[in-house]
Amino acid sequence: MELTVNGQRHQIDAEAGMPLLWVLRDILGLTGTKYGCGIAQCGACTVHIDGMAVRSCQIALADVGGEVTTIEGLGTPDAPHPVQQAWIDHQVAQCGYCQSGQIMSAAAMLALQGEPDDQQIDRIMSANLCRCATYPRIRAAIHDAARRLATG
Amino acid sequence: MIRAALVMLSLVLPAGAEVTTSVVAPPQEGSVSREDGLAAWDRVHAVVSHPRCANCHVGADNIPMWSGPEYPQTGPHGMNIDAGDSRIGAETLPCATCHVTSSAPANGPNDAPAAMIDWQLAPVDMIWFGQSSAQICAQMSDPARNGGRDWIQLAEHLRDDAAHGGFVAWGFAPGGARQPAPGDLQSHIDDVLKWGAAGQPCPE
């Protein structure tokens, strides 16, 4: 089965029903995307499929109908995505486990939303859980990233 | 913005997907008594008011519900979910972020429910959650609030939605440990037609 991840095409030899998250982590070695709950309750496994945030633990390999972007493909250490840069500047992460999912959700939202207010951020990000409760810093970083994206 | 999200959400039906086939065989109009029509309506109502259907047939607040035996108490969908005026979550978090579009929608008991079309709320006019049997009956028999359908077209809608792997078929076969809507799709279509042939009678 063919799968495009972070701009690279891969031939995947796996069961059609294997969750995308398993493919990313165990077959392609892209371990930046995390396994949290496995039932779409926490958001740690969030990736983009054609730009839309999707919980990769929920979608089977056979159902992936577009190009996948993971945290490794959003930006690089030398050229981070504005959301990643804002995350660094605000030192959002505590333990860090949920953060790649948080960043992927935030980046997908900001591609559509412009500059969201606190209520919009809470509505969009409340399905991404953070056990360290870094929520105030997540919100601050999203505001900052939105400003950076707006000014180019 | 919303248009962009809609475009992204409009995924095609996966190849090789299995779909439900059912038959619309309407009785002669007027051939069913009012009494039998009301009895058919009661069975229709048992389906449409079931949590598998009603939880996403909600009002203008655009907030889906969690109700039924799988939940300790009735309340709004967890995680602060708001499907927005788009009814697909385009303004906030798309439903399809978690309720993925799947070629095998009868998934595990703890997975987010999935269908073969993109997950969404029903239109506001078609509110069922918290409504009485008489209110739902009035809505379903009013073309201004039922998508412009007569009674035969209502049955055809059920058949066609199921043929696309949509929510009608999912409601009867939701997978996991979820309680399905009562009966089966063909019986539901037949009941809608009996109710229609009786003149769409509604309870007082």
Side-chain angles (χ1 to χ4, degrees), chain A residues 38-41 46 49-55 57-60 62-63 65 105 109 112-113 119-120 122-124 126-127, chain B residues 1 4-5 8-9 11 14 66 79-82 90-94 96-98 100-104 107 110-113:
Chain A
I39 54 173
Q41 295 277 313
T46 304
I49 298 179
D50 283 350
M52 196 180 92
V54 175
R55 306 293 188 244
C57 73
Q58 292 293 295
I59 190 159
D63 293 326
S105 288
M109 164 182 65
L112 294 172
Q113 286 287 352
Q119 189 185 34
Q120 285 173 302
D122 290 350
R123 281 197 173 137
I124 294 161
S126 56
Chain B
M1 173 196 84
M8 283 197 290
L9 287 168
L11 308 175
W66 278 356
M79 310 168 206
N80 201 24
I81 293 300
D82 181 341
E91 302 88 339
T92 53
L93 184 66
T97 287
C98 299
V100 298
T101 306
S102 171
S103 55
N107 53 14
N110 296 316
D111 287 334

Side-chain angles (χ1 to χ4, degrees), chain B residues 28-51:
Chain B
Q28 185 80 30
E29 191 160 11
S31 66
V32 177
S33 70
R34 177 179 169 81
E35 186 183 9
D36 287 349
L38 282 169
W41 167 257
D42 283 344
R43 293 190 295 274
V44 171
H45 175 251
V47 171
V48 301
S49 61
H50 188 276

Side-chain angles (χ1 to χ4, degrees), chain B residues 144-194:
Chain B
R145 292 185 288 153
N146 76 3
R149 299 178 174 101
D150 64 21
W151 57 282
I152 294 175
Q153 289 168 323
L154 282 178
E156 289 170 343
H157 163 65
L158 298 172
R159 176 196 64 194
D160 295 344
D161 181 87
H164 289 92
F167 309 111
V168 174
W170 176 84
F172 292 106
R178 299 176 194 96
Q179 186 187 72
D184 57 64
L185 174 62
Q186 187 61 57
S187 303
H188 184 53
I189 288 174
D190 293 343
D191 282 333
V192 166
L193 290 169
K194 271 184 207 158

